[in-house]
Amino acid sequence: MGCFCFVHQNMFNEHKTTQMAAYFIEREGGEISKLKLMKLLYLAERESLRQHGRVMSGDHLVAMPHGPVLSTALDLANDNALVDEYSLWYATIERKDHITLALRSELAQKDYDELSASDMEILKKTVQEFGGMSPYEIRNYTHHLPEYEDPQGTSALIPYRKILKALNEYTDEEIEAICEQIEVDDSIDKAFR
């Protein structure tokens, strides 16, 4: 039967996602377009799947009219009910207006404790490849990713399996093994929450 590689996909790690976002905002000089940040986060997650067969944030990946994004990260960026005054996201990142996010407080290098050395390399690579793009250039780029399908005004889940297939770097057997490992990691994560 095989795994669907999307059955659980809810091991969201707010601390790690906040640290990823803070890294990108710092590289933009302390402020960033919400649209650009969402694309950088998605592209970093995608690169982690490509390089290591694992995800960093554990967020739901969704296709939206402006391209693929990390669902819970978008909710946090939009200041919805998930963001409370005690969350790391709230303590670190503020919404300046409907299109701009800024650092409320910078993280010291030691505060990137959720990010491994390989995670940091992926973030650096993402900035090198896409950091110079404008918000709409990076948006347009993500519209051409093979796993993206326009959800026609709504949102649609993007299974990890679909991204792994779109990357065209793994055999079906390797994709199956990666999906199974993601599900194991998700189960372990849930057990320790």
Side-chain angles (χ1 to χ4, degrees), residues 9 22 29 51 66-67 103 120 124 134 139 142 165 172 174:
Q9 199 176 18
Q51 282 189 26
H66 286 292
L103 288 177
M120 293 299 287
K124 287 177 192 173
S134 73
R139 172 203 177 270
T142 63
K165 281 194 169 288
D172 288 342
E174 290 169 329

Side-chain angles (χ1 to χ4, degrees), residues 3 15 22 26 29 67 78 81 86-88 97 99-100 102-104 107 114 128 130-131 149 159 161 178 182:
C3 75
H15 284 114
E26 283 178 3
N78 284 332
Y86 304 107
S87 75
L88 180 62
D97 54 42
I99 60 168
T100 308
L103 288 177
R104 191 182 304 269
L107 296 177
E114 292 282 328
Q128 288 170 348
F130 306 105
E149 293 178 34
R161 175 179 301 290
I178 290 168
I182 289 172

Side-chain angles (χ1 to χ4, degrees), residues 53-70:
R54 64 173 172 79
V55 293
M56 292 193 295
S57 71
D59 204 345
H60 292 278
L61 308 178
V62 296
M64 297 191 72
H66 286 292
V69 298
L70 280 62

Side-chain angles (χ1 to χ4, degrees), residues 3 5 21 39 45 49 52 65 69 71 77 89 101 109 128 139 148 183 187:
C3 75
C5 205
K39 300 306 157 207
E45 194 78 284
L49 276 170
H52 306 294
V69 298
S71 178
W89 184 280
L101 299 173
Q109 189 63 33
Q128 288 170 348
R139 172 203 177 270
Y148 176 72
E183 288 188 7
S187 297

Side-chain angles (χ1 to χ4, degrees), residues 2-123:
C3 75
F4 293 101
C5 205
F6 199 75
V7 176
H8 301 292
Q9 199 176 18
N10 58 359
M11 55 189 166
F12 178 70
N13 184 328
E14 181 199 346
H15 284 114
K16 194 168 192 177
T17 305
T18 299
Q19 291 173 15
M20 292 166 65
Y23 179 90
F24 289 134
I25 297 170
E26 283 178 3
R27 297 312 170 279
E28 288 283 311
E31 287 189 3
I32 194 169
S33 152
K34 179 177 63 173
L35 177 62
K36 185 171 184 176
L37 177 62
M38 293 302 108
K39 300 306 157 207
L40 290 171
L41 289 170
Y42 179 83
L43 290 166
E45 194 78 284
R46 185 179 197 268
E47 183 63 16
S48 182
L49 276 170
R50 187 188 74 74
Q51 282 189 26
H52 306 294
R54 64 173 172 79
V55 293
M56 292 193 295
S57 71
D59 204 345
H60 292 278
L61 308 178
V62 296
M64 297 191 72
H66 286 292
V69 298
L70 280 62
S71 178
T72 308
L74 180 61
D75 288 341
L76 291 168
N78 284 332
D79 263 351
N80 81 358
L82 291 175
V83 183
D84 65 47
E85 62 187 277
Y86 304 107
S87 75
L88 180 62
W89 184 280
Y90 180 83
T92 308
I93 299 167
E94 67 177 316
R95 186 173 169 190
K96 304 256 318 178
D97 54 42
H98 72 286
I99 60 168
T100 308
L101 299 173
L103 288 177
R104 191 182 304 269
S105 65
E106 289 193 25
L107 296 177
Q109 189 63 33
K110 67 176 178 48
D111 295 328
Y112 287 106
D113 60 337
E114 292 282 328
L115 298 168
S116 68
S118 64
D119 292 337
M120 293 299 287
E121 285 302 313
I122 287 169
L123 298 182

